[in-house]
Amino acid sequence: MQQLGINLPIRWSCSIEAINTSISGEPFQNLRWSQFGDGFLVNTTTGNMRYQSCKYIVEGLTKALQCRIVQADGAWWVIGIKEHLADVIAYRECANSTGLPVITEHTRDSLRVVGEDYKFINEDAVLTATAANKSVTVTYEHNQLANILPNGGLEQRSLGALMWWGVQGGTFAYESEIGSITGRGGSAVKLINSGPDPAVFKLLNPLPIDAHTLYNIFEFGFSFMAIDGYPLNPENGRIDWRNNEIKVSVKYTVNNNGTIEDWYLNEYGYWQNTNGPANQQVISTSWHPAGNAFYIHFDPAKSFFTGDVVFIQFVRDGVVIGREVLFEETMDVTSGVAFIVSKIQDGYTSGSSNLLTINNTQNHPANTAWTEKEADYFKYISFTVQGLELNYSAAITYTGAGSLENKIIDPGVINLTTGNKEGLLSVEFVMPAGKTYVLDDIWLSVNHNKDVYKASHEESNNTKNLDISLPISSAFSGFYTSNLMRSYSTSNTDWLFTDGTDIGSLTELYARSALRCLYSQNIVFNGSISTLGKDWSFIDNYSIATLDGKKFLPNRSIYNTEKNEVNLIALEYRNDDIAISIEHYGSEEEKDLKY
């Protein structure tokens, strides 16, 4: 790495390319990594940035694309293993010049025959063999922040604009930057909605998460401070949360037999795509001639919950009359029936009763009553902080599942297409009309796991497995800061690549490619050759006169320029078309996620 500062032309040849047309083609010109600095370790509280080492970046990027980097022939070479094996290497070169890059295309004859082009000398040539492998397991040792939400700390801004989050809807709704309310330094977001219509503050683009194979446990929370517009309890001056809850929507997309559905996290730790039933239920209705009364009996063992809606329809003087009563706070059955009575002319109830009576009605088939949940109730979680006063902050943690783990719903298999719509997580906060509040440290964490692909050659009688790790790769989940991707929200379209044979993540392609080479014994050549009168280069690849059909790449070479001799260590490489099975799982001991 100390020599990377030498100013030389750069030459490269790599046939791996992205499937997504936005970044397909020449990988070293079209791919993106750490576009917004998120591939580096960032201290967002102080703004200090500590870079990953040059070794980590260069080795990680070249290894992910199955390349090696060498200095040869007066240039830096970044060359794919498969390309290095070609008799004639086609490559591109970026000139060592200032100004706009000057890129040209060239070819190089690279095949050399040991025993013909380069003569054997010293009679020290030795052939050994490596052990064959039945399987190759590649683990993507990705980097991520503990909080997987992009800019969840609400610190990062570009030209004054908050990154990744924003306000939508509302005529007079906006956000502004203020100091953190957590006491840990940094900044927070003040949300103001002075208009008559509600708005939302949201993660502008959904976050892809592979909850099918890797992540199914999560925790979620945020810090909140009410500023203005919240009614106060006259007895203690604290916020009256009735019909003023903090409403948050957490959505995740699911592939249900080919149909993409939106599923929402509810207050109990479950996911829904439709409203559930109201808590309170109508157990019977009847009509009685005394008083021309329509009777409605509610379940005496159940309360009316927030979001329960009672629908009542009765006939009076030949006219069908409908009433709809929404509960904005929880009430026991007696209080709830009394509340309904206050909304209906000639309604009546007595004492501790689950019976609602509506007088002056007609006996008619249209008389009916039922309960439902408020429209779209299932899309929101309501939070309250009892005893909270204005201008005091509170750290709120979602505890929907109680003492159990909060689980992400299974999105279905993440398909090998670039049009993935499943597995996308969205978060938004409702900004009620006339209210001002502050948000800080919106966080979401998931179980620890690593992306693992195991390629196996089932026809092999060998038992050896080779373990390999990649520090940089591609993956569906967008919170991997080490991903090759344009941004967190495009990981579901940027993660798929092809090597001309297979399609998959770079981790999967590496496992396949390594097994195609290493499933059988590989010969290792170690010997001295004469380069007298020859233009020897590390970019050469070799065949050996006595080993027909086998190709070798230099692994380590010592070049004695005084004697024109090279002590060459070269490894046999192959790219055979063999039957390969792939297993994709997480590095956690329990490979199968339990839902």
Side-chain angles (χ1 to χ4, degrees):
M1 290 299 124
Q2 295 177 348
Q3 309 304 320
L4 286 177
I6 299 176
N7 291 323
L8 295 172
I10 299 175
R11 297 171 181 171
W12 67 93
S13 180
C14 178
S15 60
I16 291 178
E17 66 172 305
I19 295 296
N20 189 321
T21 56
S22 298
I23 53 173
S24 61
E26 172 53 54
F28 289 104
Q29 292 178 240
N30 298 335
L31 294 185
R32 299 292 181 267
W33 182 79
S34 191
Q35 283 287 90
F36 303 95
D38 47 2
F40 306 106
L41 300 180
V42 180
N43 183 330
T44 56
T45 300
T46 63
N48 294 328
M49 182 177 290
R50 181 164 65 88
Y51 291 97
Q52 294 279 14
S53 69
C54 183
K55 182 177 186 294
Y56 166 88
I57 297 171
V58 173
E59 285 191 357
L61 290 173
T62 53
K63 191 174 182 180
L65 296 170
Q66 300 178 33
C67 292
R68 58 201 327 199
I69 180 169
V70 298
Q71 183 183 327
D73 304 345
W76 286 109
W77 287 81
V78 181
I79 186 167
I81 299 298
K82 186 170 67 173
E83 289 68 42
H84 200 170
L85 283 171
D87 293 353
V88 178
I89 298 176
Y91 65 92
R92 296 187 178 193
E93 177 178 300
C94 181
N96 179 27
S97 60
T98 59
L100 294 175
V102 178
I103 298 176
T104 53
E105 297 184 1
H106 309 270
T107 59
R108 181 188 190 279
D109 293 326
S110 294
L111 177 61
R112 303 291 184 266
V113 180
V114 177
E116 296 178 7
D117 295 314
Y118 299 131
K119 302 298 183 182
F120 291 106
I121 57 174
N122 300 336
E123 298 182 354
D124 61 355
V126 176
L127 296 179
T128 57
T130 63
N133 295 275
K134 182 181 182 65
S135 59
V136 173
T137 301
V138 181
T139 301
Y140 179 15
E141 299 284 353
H142 71 272
N143 283 336
Q144 69 178 74
L145 299 177
N147 180 6
I148 69 170
L149 292 178
N151 195 21
L154 306 177
E155 309 279 351
Q156 296 170 282
R157 290 180 177 264
S158 177
L159 300 177
L162 187 67
M163 294 184 66
W164 312 129
W165 296 80
V167 174
Q168 291 186 350
T171 308
F172 300 100
Y174 59 97
E175 63 88 11
S176 64
E177 182 179 12
I178 67 168
S180 174
I181 61 173
T182 64
R184 293 191 291 269
S187 59
V189 168
K190 184 177 183 180
L191 302 173
I192 303 102
N193 187 359
S194 57
D197 303 314
V200 294
F201 177 72
K202 63 183 293 186
L203 185 64
L204 294 176
N205 294 297
L207 171 66
I209 300 176
D210 181 358
H212 179 72
T213 302
L214 300 174
Y215 304 101
N216 70 331
I217 301 171
F218 76 97
E219 294 181 338
F220 170 67
F222 56 94
S223 293
F224 171 88
M225 184 167 69
I227 301 295
D228 189 33
Y230 289 85
L232 304 180
N233 187 321
E235 295 181 359
N236 55 27
R238 294 169 179 167
I239 296 173
D240 183 350
W241 291 107
R242 289 176 296 178
N243 196 31
N244 291 286
E245 300 92 345
I246 308 162
K247 287 192 173 183
V248 183
S249 177
V250 179
K251 181 178 73 174
Y252 192 62
T253 56
V254 172
N255 189 336
N256 185 5
N257 295 320
T259 300
I260 302 299
E261 299 176 342
D262 294 335
W263 285 71
Y264 293 83
L265 183 65
N266 68 20
E267 55 193 310
Y268 306 109
Y270 300 102
W271 297 78
Q272 296 175 258
N273 67 340
T274 59
N275 264 338
N279 188 67
Q280 182 56 267
Q281 297 292 311
V282 175
I283 58 176
S284 67
T285 62
S286 58
W287 188 85
H288 298 267
N292 295 322
F294 178 41
Y295 285 5
I296 303 172
H297 285 89
F298 293 95
D299 190 334
K302 294 183 177 180
S303 297
F304 293 90
F305 279 6
T306 300
D308 285 359
V309 182
V310 179
F311 295 88
I312 300 173
Q313 184 176 284
F314 55 89
V315 177
R316 178 178 289 159
D317 298 329
V319 179
V320 177
I321 299 173
R323 292 289 184 267
E324 179 180 325
V325 180
L326 169 65
F327 283 81
E328 297 174 337
E329 61 179 306
T330 297
M331 297 184 183
D332 61 39
V333 64
T334 300
S335 301
V337 170
F339 177 67
I340 298 171
V341 166
S342 70
K343 305 293 183 180
I344 299 176
Q345 181 182 354
D346 293 332
Y348 175 78
T349 187
S350 60
S352 178
S353 175
N354 65 316
L355 172 63
L356 169 63
T357 302
I358 304 176
N359 296 318
N360 299 320
T361 63
Q362 295 172 244
N363 187 14
H364 196 281
N367 293 341
T368 186
W370 71 96
T371 60
E372 293 179 3
K373 271 299 185 185
E374 180 185 11
D376 292 340
Y377 182 84
F378 70 99
K379 295 183 178 180
Y380 299 96
I381 309 165
S382 295
F383 294 92
T384 60
V385 183
Q386 298 306 315
L388 187 66
E389 300 179 24
L390 293 178
N391 299 307
Y392 282 83
S393 63
I396 299 173
T397 300
Y398 172 74
T399 57
S403 60
L404 302 176
E405 294 174 325
N406 297 314
K407 295 293 188 74
I408 306 177
I409 188 172
D410 185 352
V413 176
I414 306 298
N415 292 310
L416 294 180
T417 68
T418 58
N420 291 104
K421 299 299 182 182
E422 68 271 13
L424 306 183
L425 183 86
S426 302
V427 178
E428 67 177 43
F429 293 78
V430 175
M431 297 172 59
K435 289 183 171 56
T436 299
Y437 65 87
V438 176
L439 286 178
D440 199 356
D441 283 355
I442 307 169
W443 61 271
L444 191 146
S445 62
V446 292
N447 52 299
H448 296 286
N449 219 338
K450 302 290 186 182
D451 210 8
V452 181
Y453 286 87
K454 183 177 182 179
S456 301
H457 182 45
E458 301 300 339
E459 299 174 8
S460 172
N461 294 322
N462 302 310
T463 59
K464 185 173 181 291
N465 174 74
L466 177 64
D467 288 310
I468 299 172
S469 65
L470 296 178
I472 294 174
S473 187
S474 68
F476 179 87
S477 298
F479 58 88
Y480 293 2
T481 57
S482 49
N483 272 354
L484 276 158
M485 60 184 179
R486 289 168 291 166
S487 75
Y488 79 88
S489 62
T490 64
S491 63
N492 63 313
T493 62
D494 294 354
W495 71 297
L496 290 175
F497 287 75
T498 181
D499 58 4
T501 301
D502 298 294
I503 293 176
S505 72
L506 289 172
T507 311
E508 178 182 350
L509 293 184
Y510 199 103
R512 288 180 177 274
S513 177
L515 186 61
R516 286 197 296 266
C517 176
L518 302 174
Y519 76 96
S520 182
Q521 287 184 331
N522 293 68
I523 295 174
V524 180
F525 172 85
N526 187 342
S528 298
I529 59 175
S530 172
T531 61
L532 186 63
K534 304 291 184 181
D535 185 17
W536 181 85
S537 170
F538 197 83
I539 301 302
D540 293 343
N541 62 68
Y542 305 94
S543 64
I544 298 176
T546 55
L547 300 173
D548 293 339
K550 298 185 182 298
K551 296 291 288 288
F552 294 79
L553 291 181
N555 189 38
R556 184 172 62 85
S557 301
I558 300 175
Y559 189 15
N560 188 325
T561 56
E562 182 179 354
K563 295 183 177 181
N564 290 312
E565 296 176 1
V566 173
N567 176 249
L568 176 65
I569 300 176
L571 177 67
E572 178 190 3
Y573 277 82
R574 60 171 67 86
N575 187 34
D576 291 350
D577 183 14
I578 60 172
I580 294 176
S581 62
I582 289 289
E583 185 181 2
H584 181 208
Y585 56 90
S587 59
E588 291 182 335
E589 291 184 4
E590 190 67 44
K591 293 181 181 179
D592 296 323
L593 297 185
K594 304 300 183 184
Y595 288 93

